[in-house]
Amino acid sequence: MGTPEVDSGAVLAAALQRPVCVLGLGLIGGSVLRAATDAGRDAWGASASTTTAEKARADGYDVADDVASAVRRAAETDALVVVAVPLTAIDDVLAVVGREAPECRLTDVTSVKEPVGDAVTRRVPAARFVGGHPMTGTEFSGWDAGSLQLFHDKVWVVATDDDTDLEVWTDVVALALACGATVVPAASDEHDVAVARISHLPHLLAAVLASVGADGGELALALAAGSFADGTRVAATRPELTAAMCEGNRDALLAALDDALGRLGAARGSLASTGGLLASLTAGHDGRASLDAARLDRREVRIDLTGVPAEHLEAMRELGRSGGRIIGWTSEALEAAAPGEE
């Protein structure tokens, strides 16, 4: 079956103005609401916490009385619904979405993609879902921790799978760019494997390092300096949030943890016997150098939607695999999206 013809200019024009409904107003969701509003979008949110909702309203943001009414408004306006709650609350929120807007445009900002996709299939099978994951955050949580600048120059992963809805994919990319982020297209399963190594494993290692340091007593903590503070920063995250994130990516994280344990075991063996610890330290030094090089050499592209038909999704994934980022739209795409003259 061929790919249906679409007016790419109209798709982009609509995406650039798409209303946004944010469900969950913690660190990430609250920052999405702030950034989308600041970008000129019609944006509103909802929170299960009355205290959070009141704080957001007091700061001047449009917050519905409850999640259901926010989702009904999204259905009426064809808004992009952004699910911004911890993984453990996803099913409950999606149940509301399924009742009030079963065919809505839907995305999320959760740190795992396949489990969220499975939940959407169970709860809102008719939704037009494209997953997302802003690669940013702090050790703090809640509305007060959010900011307009949280996504500036950060990576926002947009799920790019074979069955991706290209219109909603455009909506999610447009939202990420409007919030100040750059976009990395990635397959959901590849995303989960990658973040197990560079996000979820560091949270586990930070927790272990922090507990080992604390067990050294008051002298150890008094002497703790930059390396200990940097290595344990994310251990200050609320444990239940970290647990939900890690357990939601169990299989990929177990593989990464096994890799880490093997390397720690080799380092211990070298330290205890042969004095060959240098090999472990050199591998780490080289790994860090690779990170620094990737940051300097990243490929940045602007895209035209006519260049992202379904048959080119693999090329988009390859862009992400090779360290590439989408930083905006081509001038031709923006020209096609511009309103015509009377």
Side-chain angles (χ1 to χ4, degrees):
M1 181 180 294
T3 304
E5 291 293 326
V6 296
D7 183 342
S8 59
V11 168
L12 179 55
L16 293 174
Q17 299 298 323
R18 180 79 55 201
V20 178
C21 170
V22 185
L23 307 180
L25 299 177
L27 169 65
I28 301 297
S31 296
V32 172
L33 180 59
R34 288 176 172 95
T37 301
D38 188 64
R41 296 292 189 92
D42 181 15
W44 63 94
S47 173
S49 165
T50 301
T51 300
T52 295
E54 290 175 348
K55 285 182 177 181
R57 288 194 193 100
D59 286 342
Y61 292 93
D62 187 350
V63 178
D65 292 332
D66 54 62
V67 172
S69 61
V71 176
R72 282 195 295 271
R73 180 176 168 186
E76 293 165 359
T77 58
D78 196 22
L80 176 65
V81 177
V82 182
V83 177
V85 298
L87 189 61
T88 50
I90 286 282
D91 272 6
D92 290 343
V93 171
L94 290 179
V96 178
V97 175
R99 289 195 305 270
E100 307 294 343
E103 298 180 356
C104 69
R105 300 168 184 265
L106 184 66
T107 189
D108 74 304
V109 290
T110 315
S111 67
V112 288
K113 299 277 62 75
E114 287 198 301
V116 176
D118 292 343
V120 170
T121 299
R122 291 194 311 272
R123 294 290 192 175
V124 205
R128 301 173 67 183
F129 175 68
V130 174
H133 179 201
M135 299 298 300
T136 185
T138 73
E139 64 271 34
F140 306 109
S141 58
W143 170 263
D144 292 336
S147 76
L148 277 172
Q149 292 77 37
L150 188 67
F151 309 110
H152 283 196
D153 297 323
K154 301 299 195 300
V155 165
W156 193 311
V157 179
V158 177
T160 308
D161 299 305
D162 288 336
D163 59 350
T164 292
D165 183 315
L166 290 174
E167 282 193 26
V168 180
W169 186 89
T170 305
D171 290 335
V172 180
V173 171
L175 175 62
L177 294 174
C179 289
T182 60
V183 170
V184 172
S188 294
D189 57 347
E190 294 179 10
H191 163 276
D192 290 356
V193 170
V195 296
R197 288 179 173 268
I198 55 83
S199 177
H200 303 164
L201 179 62
H203 275 79
L204 286 184
L205 295 179
V208 171
L209 180 58
S211 59
V212 169
D215 285 350
E218 293 183 5
L219 176 60
L221 294 178
L223 299 179
S227 60
F228 186 77
D230 292 345
T232 61
R233 179 183 62 80
V234 295
T237 306
R238 286 166 48 196
E240 63 272 21
L241 296 180
T242 302
M245 175 180 69
C246 292
E247 291 171 357
N249 201 21
R250 187 185 312 273
D251 290 344
L253 182 52
L254 282 171
L257 185 57
D258 285 343
D259 188 358
L261 290 172
R263 293 170 190 254
L264 285 171
R268 187 195 185 284
S270 297
L271 183 63
S273 58
T274 64
L277 187 60
L278 184 61
S280 294
L281 298 175
T282 299
H285 183 273
D286 292 346
R288 175 63 200 213
S290 296
L291 171 63
D292 293 338
R295 287 174 170 171
L296 290 174
D297 298 336
R298 72 190 189 197
R299 178 186 172 197
E300 296 181 343
V301 302
R302 295 181 181 273
I303 61 169
D304 184 334
L305 289 179
T306 59
V308 198
E311 59 266 29
H312 291 176
L313 288 172
E314 175 58 25
M316 296 300 295
R317 290 191 289 266
E318 187 56 36
L319 172 70
R321 292 186 194 114
S322 64
R325 300 182 183 187
I326 298 168
I327 62 170
W329 314 100
T330 63
S331 57
E332 291 82 2
L334 291 172
E335 183 178 347
E341 296 183 3
E342 295 293 334

